Amino acid sequence: MDSVNIIIECPSKNKRYNIEITNDVTPSQLEQEFKEQFFNNDEKLKFYYLNQPLINNKPLLQQNVVKGSLIIIRVSYPLTLMVPIMNKCYQIDFEETWTTEDLSQKIQELLQIRSEEVQFQCGQQILKPQIPLMQQGVVPKCTITANIQQRGGQQC
């Protein structure tokens, strides 16, 4: 069976791996192998090639990954996103680099709304924009509350 060398990089853990893969290896198989060796089970791994997510069950070489390709691993974690006014809770995955802007996009996607302003809280702490959530004390499996403002300043 043919094999090629590729580079896998995980920026959040500041790690780079040179590995040899066979032509039938899939991202799902890589995830399982990497979780066993380098990550824990709470972490979900997503693989990207040329800034595009790789299809989990499709062999890498069928996704145009070639010798010397750089594949990026992004790590994501579960959390609960609570929207009190709509009496809804969502289980979502967030990536280490996410900010409140990413959460706002996720809210708009989930609720199919275009909100004027959303303020996020983790416990009693109001989360600041442009600072990664994990640098503000957000941890896997926590609950974040989304307070949505409508036009005219009314809280929704």
Side-chain angles (χ1 to χ4, degrees), residues 11-118:
S12 65
K13 296 205 182 279
N14 210 16
K15 297 281 185 187
R16 182 176 267 218
Y17 309 92
N18 290 303
I19 66 168
E20 186 174 335
I21 61 166
T22 57
N23 59 4
D24 62 343
V25 169
T26 66
S28 291
Q29 291 168 318
L30 280 179
E31 179 178 24
Q32 184 177 352
E33 189 69 30
F34 270 77
K35 280 179 116 172
E36 287 173 11
Q37 294 186 35
F38 306 111
F39 296 87
N40 67 52
N41 285 332
D42 278 348
E43 299 170 318
K44 290 186 180 177
L45 309 182
K46 294 180 183 176
F47 294 86
Y48 291 81
Y49 177 57
L50 301 175
N51 287 326
Q52 297 298 313
L54 291 168
I55 300 165
N56 273 342
N57 296 315
K58 186 174 181 181
L60 293 173
L61 298 184
Q62 289 180 18
Q63 298 186 63
N64 300 320
V65 173
V66 296
K67 179 180 179 179
S69 292
L70 175 64
I71 295 176
I72 302 294
I73 299 176
R74 293 192 185 149
V75 184
S76 62
Y77 304 90
L79 67 76
T80 301
L81 187 58
M82 190 168 65
V83 186
I85 192 64
M86 298 186 158
N87 204 23
K88 294 192 182 233
C89 271
Y90 299 93
Q91 300 299 317
I92 66 167
D93 292 326
F94 75 101
E95 294 180 11
E96 295 171 304
T97 57
W98 273 29
T99 64
T100 56
E101 184 177 321
D102 298 294
L103 285 177
S104 291
Q105 288 176 354
K106 192 66 170 178
I107 284 270
Q108 291 176 21
E109 182 184 306
L110 291 168
L111 300 177
Q112 300 293 307
I113 61 165
R114 202 177 142 266
S115 61
E116 294 301 306
E117 184 183 327
V118 182

